[in-house]
Amino acid sequence: MAMLTEAQARELLDRVLKQSQAEACAASAGGSHGGNIRYARNTVTTAGEETDQRLNVTAIFGKRSGSSSTNDFSSESITACVRRAESLAKLSPENPESMPLLGAQSYRPTPAWNDRTDGVTAMDRARIAAASIQPAKAAKCVAAGFENDSARWTANANSAGQFGYHRSTAAAFSVTMRTDDETGSGYATTDANDFGGLGAERASQSAIQKAVASRQARALEPGKYTVILEPPASEELLGFLWGQFNARNADEGRSFLAKQGGGNRLGEKLFDESVTVRSDPWDARIPGAPWGGDGAPAQATTWIDKGVVKSLACNRYWAEKTGRSPLNGPGNIIMEGGTGSVDDLIKGTERGILVTRFWYIRSVDQQTVLATGLTRDGTFYIENGQIKHAVKNFRFNESPVIMLNNVDALAAPVRINGSLLPPMRIRDFTFTSLSDAI
């Protein structure tokens, strides 16, 4: 029951809307099936499969609204869910920013579905764990990893005539390898819509190599260094930046994109000219959903073009209030890069530090997007184009805004957690102290 076709989803939502006694009604439904396997200390600890389904109903009376949800699609449960939403709506205060429902929309399908991922079995997951644990033992490492995969559908409809249906698949794998003497650690992660292209075995081998190479780490004085950030490192830090591309937050002075004296910095060059960032749900490498959070059709959008801020997300209320066009936030991130790989960046580095990933990142100052965190699972000193030795981990204080102004070189983008990001060489990255963590 978890996976519904488009026709079945439409029939379900039509039944919901017909039962509504509210002035307007919106409903969304979805379901999924998938599984996972987890291992630690070179032993599988958990493996499971799950199916799920859900229905959410929002009843609207004027500017009052109420929502209710259920995972029981029986007629009795749906009726109770609709009545509950209506009761809550009548009790709710008016929302002064309430907007009328969208009417019928045209959604362009995205290539987010893969039959191979839909058919993953427990044995497929077990093979991934075996292909990670066996080489770990051979290299005298201890593996801890997690793989999960899912197939999903989602649909929404409302009493104004809107209807959309979308299905997608996803698979993700991450692994930490530690040497058995607990002096070295390595990490790798990979994700894909196509389970067949996940590359979990290759990721495990990379993590093993980092773990073995990171033993006997030496201490370096904290300070400003040229760094090469592998995608798992930059993805975590840049995640603090993308949410700032919001017109209302900037207009109201609540982000680094606020202009002194009022307004925002749309159109200003705030990053290195090598930085271009866009989103595109139809990109086959990282396909997204065909609509945004408010149900409006998704758009391919350029957010930064050669260092210039080109777009800010704007919801329908703020767009109407300020005379703009509404724009959903980025559903996926595509940062353009150069050619080559991390190895090519290393070869071109006279003196610097290679960072595999960051850990425990926390915001320090939202106005400047300053964040702090630790390096982890493979930090290495580079000299004259070669990795010389492992170094002890650092604590950093850095803003992705400053970081993207100090771009020295970019390699070819790779997929990381649903985004496409290039390995980056960054000047003057700030390490503030040492950490004894491995």
Side-chain angles (χ1 to χ4, degrees):
M1 184 63 183
M3 296 299 295
L4 296 190
T5 65
E6 179 173 352
Q8 290 171 325
R10 185 187 289 272
E11 188 276 334
L12 169 70
L13 295 180
D14 282 348
R15 277 196 287 135
V16 173
L17 296 179
K18 286 177 181 176
Q19 294 199 39
S20 172
Q21 298 172 0
E23 295 174 7
C25 182
S28 62
S32 65
H33 68 78
N36 61 77
I37 189 165
R38 184 189 301 275
Y39 52 97
R41 302 187 71 81
N42 287 343
T43 301
V44 172
T45 57
T46 58
E49 294 190 358
E50 64 178 3
T51 62
D52 191 21
Q53 62 184 20
R54 66 190 181 283
L55 168 69
N56 186 76
V57 179
T58 298
I60 302 167
F61 296 93
K63 290 183 175 293
R64 303 176 191 272
S65 65
S67 296
S68 179
S69 61
T70 179
N71 60 1
D72 179 355
F73 287 2
S74 67
S75 296
E76 296 79 8
S77 178
I78 289 175
T79 299
C81 187
V82 172
R83 296 285 92 81
R84 192 161 53 242
E86 291 167 351
S87 297
L88 291 170
K90 292 174 182 176
L91 292 172
S92 299
E94 289 192 346
N95 176 6
E97 299 184 6
S98 174
M99 296 293 293
L101 294 174
L102 288 171
Q105 304 292 310
S106 178
Y107 299 119
R108 177 183 164 198
T110 69
W113 178 264
N114 181 271
D115 288 339
R116 176 73 181 91
T117 309
D118 182 39
V120 174
T121 66
M123 184 59 70
D124 292 327
R125 300 179 194 111
R127 291 192 186 98
I128 282 182
S132 186
I133 293 171
Q134 290 171 358
K137 289 180 176 178
K140 297 185 178 180
C141 287
V142 180
F146 181 69
E147 185 277 341
N148 66 301
D149 52 82
S150 63
R152 301 174 179 276
W153 67 274
T154 182
N156 51 53
N158 66 37
S159 55
Q162 180 264 347
F163 174 80
Y165 175 85
H166 173 64
R167 62 176 189 164
S168 62
T169 54
F173 171 77
S174 63
V175 62
T176 302
M177 296 283 185
R178 284 213 165 195
T179 56
D180 59 5
D181 61 1
E182 298 189 347
T183 62
S185 181
Y187 172 82
T189 183
T190 178
D191 66 296
N193 289 75
D194 177 3
F195 180 82
L198 191 56
E201 186 173 353
R202 184 171 59 251
S204 291
Q205 291 289 351
S206 174
I208 290 170
Q209 292 170 8
K210 284 180 178 291
V212 172
S214 64
R215 289 181 296 194
Q216 299 178 335
R218 307 177 195 175
L220 283 185
E221 285 296 319
K224 289 185 179 294
Y225 286 88
T226 292
V227 296
I228 295 175
L229 301 181
E230 297 200 38
S234 52
E235 188 261 343
E236 292 180 56
L237 184 53
L238 289 173
F240 284 79
L241 184 62
W242 309 133
Q244 300 269 336
F245 280 69
N246 180 285
R248 183 172 186 174
N249 289 350
D251 292 345
E252 295 181 338
R254 293 184 283 119
S255 83
F256 82 99
L257 289 167
K259 181 179 287 185
Q260 192 169 12
N264 62 59
R265 305 184 72 179
L266 185 67
E268 292 189 26
K269 184 176 181 300
L270 299 181
F271 307 99
D272 185 271
E273 66 179 15
S274 66
V275 177
T276 293
V277 177
R278 55 192 176 85
S279 57
D280 183 355
W282 296 278
D283 191 310
R285 297 168 295 179
I286 50 166
W291 57 74
D294 64 354
Q299 302 177 43
T301 304
T302 298
W303 302 96
I304 304 171
D305 184 22
K306 297 179 180 178
V308 177
V309 178
K310 297 296 288 186
S311 304
L312 296 176
C314 190
N315 66 27
R316 293 172 59 212
Y317 167 76
W318 198 248
E320 183 177 87
K321 183 179 177 67
T322 58
R324 299 181 174 117
S325 297
L327 178 65
N328 282 309
N332 56 14
I333 291 292
I334 302 168
M335 181 172 171
E336 295 183 0
T339 59
S341 63
V342 171
D343 288 341
D344 295 316
L345 293 180
I346 292 172
K347 289 175 184 174
T349 303
E350 182 178 349
R351 185 172 179 269
I353 293 172
L354 174 67
V355 178
T356 297
R357 70 181 298 205
F358 292 129
W359 177 254
Y360 211 76
I361 303 176
R362 292 293 182 269
S363 175
V364 175
D365 178 13
Q366 294 220 3
Q367 202 72 24
T368 60
V369 207
L370 182 67
T372 186
L374 300 167
T375 64
R376 188 166 174 174
D377 299 321
T379 309
F380 303 95
Y381 176 65
I382 302 166
E383 190 174 275
N384 297 325
Q386 292 183 327
I387 290 178
K388 289 297 183 181
H389 54 78
V391 294
K392 284 194 170 186
N393 285 305
F394 292 100
R395 171 167 291 281
F396 72 87
N397 277 3
E398 191 60 83
S399 164
V401 180
I402 295 173
M403 189 178 96
L404 292 185
N405 266 290
N406 290 335
V407 174
D408 188 55
L410 301 172
V414 298
R415 176 165 172 158
I416 174 76
N417 290 332
S419 295
L420 283 176
L421 297 177
M424 307 177 189
R425 189 166 63 213
I426 306 293
R427 300 183 301 272
D428 296 330
F429 195 91
T430 305
F431 294 117
T432 55
S433 61
L434 291 176
S435 167
D436 288 328
I438 302 302

